[in-house]
């Protein structure tokens, strides 16, 4: 039945093409294919070279030999990465551990706070609502530059949370930004009738929010959580600046990128990069459909 | 009769607390109802005020943390940045930062800030004039279900999920003279700087700009194609029946219908004008080979070469930030005003 419906949709006039359009779509397909190949090939190159003998790779590099398949698969590069690689006294397992808690706090804080602000501003009319919405949009759309110095000063000299996980918690309890826009738009479109019925039955505001409204927003929340989680997992700049003693897998890879290739351990570095990518690639493979379907941003007018 | 009226009022009060748009009819019951003179009115009023109080407490509970976060990490930081611009490193009031900024901007020897501004504008121009329009066109073809569109949509999103460190590492290796692309270009007779494109002051920034284009079609493409998928199919179908071409369909039908999403993304893009940059830290941690950008210059001033606790030089950065914010805010507000004047099609 689903297949049949799909066939009907595909036969819509929207997807029927004239001869000229067929040529255009053919050219675009070729360009898309080349671009897709340009994204896939380097990753394959990385994986293949992560299995190369490290001496052969360095010799090839010196000889200007661009690429050579490994004659034997050197999984020992991975073993070395797991056992010997370290940055700021953290081995790769510690980096993973740091990445995991950093990602959870970063994601949970940002998405939950945005759900709070998005829900409150979309569904309640209170005195400061217009002002708060205006402030959020204003702060998102004016180009403030150079506040890094003041932020560093705040974290280091005022709050004394430099190089502390407390920094991650406080910084990411943030209810503004893209997360807010998506959830605000979502809650605006959610029907209020279930909530009304629940209020009639004596439910409180918190119960309505957590038991009725939040579950309805789950697709948007899951999407934002995955996108935020990916950003957190790959964030190296913030960790380098504010959490030097807690290297994550991203900041750790930045650290070893300065040393390993110069010491002739490029293949181990490649193996470490592959290891660092794997968790996020697996998560993306599982949830790519969710991300593609639920990412919607509306206008800025409240 | 009285009991019915009381029920209606109580229902209205309970429903009206969170005043969503959908509650309009209930609210009108409340507002048009005559003032009752019966003592039961007190009960209703008490219930209403208790409901209002619970609503206020709930709102305070859920908004307290994000508001506090904004007050500390946005308001305080921005006010503090303003103050720091007028203080020297010892904390005394001074205009030394403005003098230093001007010296660095005009010095014939230290062209760091000047180059940073120029490079930043290059990144911004590429983002606005190349990456964004290309994203729009690519989203259109994805939306039009080009063969293999599902796979393309996932593959094109890869740069958003793979760490910048991985991408920079493979890109640097690919285009180096001994990398596959570098070797191919050499074989084709393309003239290449001896150390490769990234190690030459004339080609390093263009090479990083190319990297930005290569990795630039990610989240925006998902947002735009998602906005396109919400357009009523009937509108496009009737346009097709009238012989509308692909170009006209995109420019005159689809773009106006997704304008609210597109304008939001354009405004965000404009807001990032002075933060536009490639991952300079990953390519050249010292900003060498003429690759300096404003955001990287700011990072370097605050963080230095990796000193624990940073450099302590906050004043010059804050001063530069103040100057660029003063230039940027009127520009952005004006452009935003213009963008918002273009009406979005309601459907």
């Amino acid at each position: 039945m689903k297949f049949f419906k799909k066939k009907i949709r595909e036969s819509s006039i929207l997807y029927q093409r004239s001869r000229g359009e067929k040529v255009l779509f053919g050219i675009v397909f070729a360009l898309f294919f080349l671009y897709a190949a340009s994204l896939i090939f380097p990753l394959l190159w990385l994986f293949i070279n992560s299995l190369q003998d490290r001496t052969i790779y360095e010799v090839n590099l010196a000889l200007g030999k661009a690429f050579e398949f490994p004659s034997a698969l050197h999984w020992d590069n991975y073993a070395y990465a797991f056992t010997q690689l370290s940055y700021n006294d953290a081995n790769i397992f510690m980096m993973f551990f740091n990445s995991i808690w950093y990602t959870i706090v970063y994601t949970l804080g940002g998405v939950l706070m945005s759900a709070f602000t998005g829900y409150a501003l979309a569904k309640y009319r209170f005195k400061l609502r217009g002002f708060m919405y205006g402030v959020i949009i204003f702060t998102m759309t004016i180009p403030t530059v150079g506040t890094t110095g003041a932020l560093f000063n705040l974290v280091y000299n005022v709050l004394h949370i430099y190089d502390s996980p407390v920094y991650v918690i406080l910084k990411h309890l943030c209810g503004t930004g893209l997360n807010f826009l998506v959830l605000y738009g979502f809650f605006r479109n959610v029907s209020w009738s279930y909530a009304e019925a629940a209020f009639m039955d004596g439910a409180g505001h918190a119960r309505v929010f957590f038991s009725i409204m939040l579950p309805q927003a789950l697709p948007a929340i899951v999407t934002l959580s995955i996108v935020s989680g990916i950003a957190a997992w790959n964030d190296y700049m913030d960790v380098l600046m504010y959490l030097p003693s807690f290297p994550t897998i991203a900041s750790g890879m930045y650290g070893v990128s300065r040393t390993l290739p110069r010491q002739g351990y490029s293949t181990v570095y490649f193996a470490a990069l592959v290891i660092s990518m794997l968790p996020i690639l697996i998560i993306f493979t599982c949830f790519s459909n969710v991300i593609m379907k639920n990412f919607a941003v509306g206008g800025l007018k409240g | 009769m009285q009991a019915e009226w009381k029920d209606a009022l109580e229902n209205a009060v309970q429903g009206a607390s969170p005043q969503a748009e959908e509650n309009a009819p209930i609210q009108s019951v409340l507002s048009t109802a005559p003032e009752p003179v019966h003592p039961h009115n007190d009960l209703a009023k008490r219930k209403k005020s208790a409901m209002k109080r619970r609503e206020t407490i709930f709102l305070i509970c859920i908004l307290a943390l994000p508001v506090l976060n904004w007050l500390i990490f946005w308001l305080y930081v921005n006010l503090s940045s303003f103050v720091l611009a007028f203080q020297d490193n010892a904390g005394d009031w001074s205009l030394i930062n403005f003098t230093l900024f001007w010296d660095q901007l005009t010095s014939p020897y230290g062209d760091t800030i000047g180059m940073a501004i120029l490079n930043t504008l290059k990144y911004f121009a590429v983002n606005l004039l190349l990456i964004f329009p290309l994203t729009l066109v690519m989203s259109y073809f994805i939306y039009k279900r080009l063969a293999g569109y599902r796979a393309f949509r996932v593959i094109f999103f890869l740069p958003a999920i793979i760490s910048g460190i991985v991408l920079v590492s493979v890109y640097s290796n690919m285009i180096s003279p001994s990398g596959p692309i570098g070797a191919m270009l050499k074989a084709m007779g393309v003239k290449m700087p001896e150390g490769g494109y990234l190690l030459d002051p004339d080609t390093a920034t263009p090479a990083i700009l190319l990297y930005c284009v290569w990795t630039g079609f990610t989240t925006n493409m998902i947002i735009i194609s998602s906005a396109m998928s919400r357009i009523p199919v009937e509108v496009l179908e009737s346009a097709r029946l009238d012989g509308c071409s692909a170009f006209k369909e995109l420019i005159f039908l689809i773009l106006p219908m997704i304008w609210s999403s597109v304008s939001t993304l354009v405004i965000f893009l404009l807001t990032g004008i002075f933060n536009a940059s490639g991952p300079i830290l990953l390519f050249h941690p010292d900003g060498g080979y003429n690759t300096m950008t404003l955001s990287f210059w700011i990072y370097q001033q605050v963080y230095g070469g990796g000193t624990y606790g940073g450099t302590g030089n906050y004043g010059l950065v804050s001063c530069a930030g103040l100057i660029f914010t003063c230039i940027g805010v009127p520009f952005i507000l004006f452009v935003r005003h213009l963008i918002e004047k273009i009406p979005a099609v309601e459907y």
Side-chain angles (χ1 to χ4, degrees):
Chain A
M1 190 65 189
K2 200 176 167 184
F3 174 79
F4 187 62
K5 271 185 189 169
K6 194 179 156 192
K7 276 287 159 200
I8 291 173
R9 209 170 51 186
E10 294 290 346
S11 66
S12 156
I13 189 167
L14 276 184
Y15 307 108
Q16 290 169 11
R17 283 157 202 152
S18 65
R19 185 177 288 179
E21 280 181 344
K22 276 180 183 164
V23 173
L24 174 71
F25 274 69
I27 295 168
V28 173
F29 176 81
L31 292 173
F32 272 29
F33 183 81
L34 285 176
Y35 177 55
S38 83
L39 290 170
I40 301 277
F41 173 70
L43 300 178
L44 287 176
W45 177 91
L46 181 76
F47 178 64
I48 290 167
N49 276 317
S50 73
L51 295 169
Q52 179 66 279
D53 178 82
R54 89 182 162 85
T55 317
I56 292 176
Y57 178 82
E58 301 300 335
V59 170
N60 284 347
L61 205 62
L63 294 173
K65 212 171 176 182
F67 182 70
E68 186 181 321
F69 271 101
S71 49
L73 300 181
H74 285 265
W75 294 101
D76 48 311
N77 290 329
Y78 285 83
Y80 190 97
F82 273 118
T83 54
Q84 305 291 318
L85 190 140
S86 114
Y87 174 69
N88 272 7
D89 297 330
N91 61 20
I92 205 161
F93 295 104
M94 187 48 84
M95 289 179 201
F96 266 113
F97 175 71
N98 288 336
S99 278
I100 289 166
W101 69 254
Y102 182 79
T103 302
I104 290 172
V105 173
Y106 181 120
T107 306
L108 203 66
V111 176
L112 194 63
M113 291 304 123
S114 299
F116 285 165
T117 47
Y119 176 69
L121 298 189
K123 289 297 182 197
Y124 288 82
R125 297 268 157 121
F126 50 97
K127 273 182 189 166
L128 289 174
R129 179 190 171 275
F131 173 74
M132 284 177 73
Y133 186 83
V135 165
I136 290 176
I137 298 302
F138 181 74
T139 55
M140 282 166 74
T141 53
I142 60 159
T144 49
V145 198
T147 52
T148 314
L151 178 61
F152 205 91
N153 186 37
L154 170 77
V155 171
Y156 194 71
N157 296 318
V158 181
L159 297 176
H160 303 289
I161 51 172
Y162 176 75
D163 207 13
S164 156
V166 179
Y167 160 77
V168 189
I169 299 169
L170 293 185
K171 174 81 192 300
H172 294 105
L173 291 174
C174 171
T176 59
L178 191 67
N179 286 349
F180 164 79
L181 269 193
V182 173
L183 287 167
Y184 174 79
F186 192 92
F187 281 123
R188 262 177 76 103
N189 293 325
V190 168
S191 167
W192 190 244
S193 39
Y194 288 121
E196 269 174 12
F199 281 127
M200 299 275 190
D201 289 344
H205 294 273
R207 191 176 168 88
V208 166
F209 175 63
F210 285 107
S211 306
I212 297 171
M213 302 309 274
L214 211 54
Q216 288 190 69
L218 212 57
I221 286 174
V222 169
T223 307
L224 289 175
S225 299
I226 295 166
V227 173
S228 285
I230 290 168
W233 187 269
N234 291 332
D235 178 20
Y236 58 93
M237 202 82 161
D238 228 29
V239 182
L240 278 175
M241 278 187 86
Y242 299 103
L243 290 168
S245 302
F246 297 88
T248 58
I249 198 79
S251 71
M253 286 306 113
Y254 167 75
V256 298
S257 74
R258 304 285 118 201
T259 53
L260 279 180
R262 285 173 196 168
Q263 293 165 350
Y265 285 86
S266 294
T267 51
V268 175
Y269 173 57
F270 295 151
L273 289 180
V274 172
I275 294 168
S276 77
M277 279 196 304
L278 275 183
I280 220 76
L281 275 179
I282 292 167
I283 288 173
F284 180 66
T285 310
C286 299
F287 291 99
S288 63
N289 263 345
V290 181
I291 298 174
M292 302 299 156
K293 273 183 190 164
N294 297 312
F295 221 125
V297 175
L300 293 175
K301 287 179 184 171
Chain B
M1 181 67 189
Q2 199 177 339
E4 280 171 22
W5 187 88
K6 191 186 142 206
D7 283 348
L9 181 66
E10 280 181 8
N11 289 346
V13 170
Q14 284 187 339
S17 289
Q19 294 172 357
E21 286 80 351
E22 296 87 341
N23 284 350
I26 302 174
Q27 285 168 41
S28 66
V29 169
L30 184 68
S31 56
T32 55
E35 268 299 307
V37 286
H38 199 273
H40 282 147
N41 188 28
D42 277 353
L43 181 69
K45 271 187 179 170
R46 271 206 301 277
K47 272 196 171 182
K48 185 182 176 184
S49 81
M51 195 69 190
K52 191 76 194 163
R53 199 166 52 245
R54 280 200 290 273
E55 180 191 314
T56 308
I57 291 168
F58 171 71
L59 286 173
I60 290 172
C61 287
I62 62 170
L63 291 177
L65 281 175
V67 168
L68 200 65
N69 175 280
W70 181 83
L71 288 173
I72 295 170
F73 287 97
W74 197 90
L75 192 62
Y76 175 84
V77 163
N78 277 280
L79 292 177
S80 163
S81 185
F82 181 80
V83 172
L84 283 167
F86 296 94
Q87 288 180 339
D88 59 21
N89 279 352
D92 298 324
W93 294 106
S94 159
L95 291 175
I96 183 76
N97 296 315
F98 290 87
T99 314
L100 279 173
F101 178 80
W102 185 250
D103 284 348
Q104 285 208 21
L105 190 66
T106 54
S107 164
Y109 304 108
D111 57 350
T112 318
I113 295 184
M115 183 182 297
I117 294 170
L118 191 67
N119 283 340
T120 300
L121 292 178
K122 282 180 192 170
Y123 284 100
F124 176 68
V126 166
N127 281 341
L128 187 68
L129 303 176
L130 185 64
I131 297 177
F132 194 77
L134 273 178
T135 306
L136 197 62
V137 173
M138 288 165 79
S139 308
Y140 172 73
F141 283 103
I142 298 274
Y143 167 66
K144 293 297 284 185
R145 299 184 181 174
L146 178 93
Y149 75 98
R150 281 203 183 95
F152 285 136
R153 198 171 53 173
V154 172
I155 294 169
F156 294 173
F157 196 65
L158 278 178
I161 64 153
I162 294 170
S163 161
I165 294 139
V166 177
L167 291 170
V168 166
S169 292
V170 291
Y171 178 77
S172 306
N173 277 292
M174 288 283 128
I175 66 164
S176 78
S178 56
I181 293 174
M184 193 174 74
L185 291 174
K186 267 203 304 198
M188 286 162 66
V190 177
K191 204 176 164 196
M192 185 186 275
E194 202 174 318
Y197 293 112
L198 286 166
L199 298 180
D200 184 274
D202 294 330
T203 55
T205 295
I208 302 176
L209 282 167
L210 184 66
Y211 167 87
C212 292
V213 176
W214 181 54
T215 56
F217 316 107
T218 52
T219 312
N220 282 356
M221 198 178 68
I222 302 300
I223 292 172
I224 293 172
S225 54
S226 166
M228 285 178 179
S229 68
R230 291 195 300 277
I231 295 174
V233 179
E234 299 78 22
V235 178
L236 301 180
E237 276 178 344
S238 56
R240 295 290 284 180
L241 284 170
D242 290 342
C244 181
S245 68
F247 177 76
K248 280 185 180 168
E249 187 182 54
L250 175 62
I251 302 297
F252 298 115
L253 275 172
I254 294 179
L255 197 56
M257 294 182 92
I258 59 165
W259 184 245
S260 67
S261 294
V262 170
S263 63
T264 303
L265 297 177
V266 171
I267 289 169
F268 282 158
L269 199 63
L270 292 170
T271 308
I273 179 167
F274 294 119
N275 291 320
S277 174
I280 308 299
L281 179 72
L282 302 180
F283 281 106
H284 294 298
D286 58 351
Y289 302 99
N290 294 349
T291 54
M292 187 65 79
T293 58
L294 268 179
S295 57
F296 187 65
W297 176 79
I298 288 167
Y299 164 83
Q300 262 200 337
Q301 292 294 313
V302 176
Y303 189 59
T307 333
Y308 187 90
T311 59
N313 297 328
Y314 312 130
L316 181 59
V317 166
S318 301
C319 167
L322 182 62
I323 292 167
F324 290 119
T325 303
C326 287
I327 296 167
V329 167
F331 167 71
I332 298 302
L333 290 180
F334 176 68
V335 176
R336 190 183 153 188
H337 176 71
L338 289 183
I339 288 174
E340 284 178 350
K341 279 209 158 190
I342 301 171
V345 177
E346 301 284 338
Y347 55 93

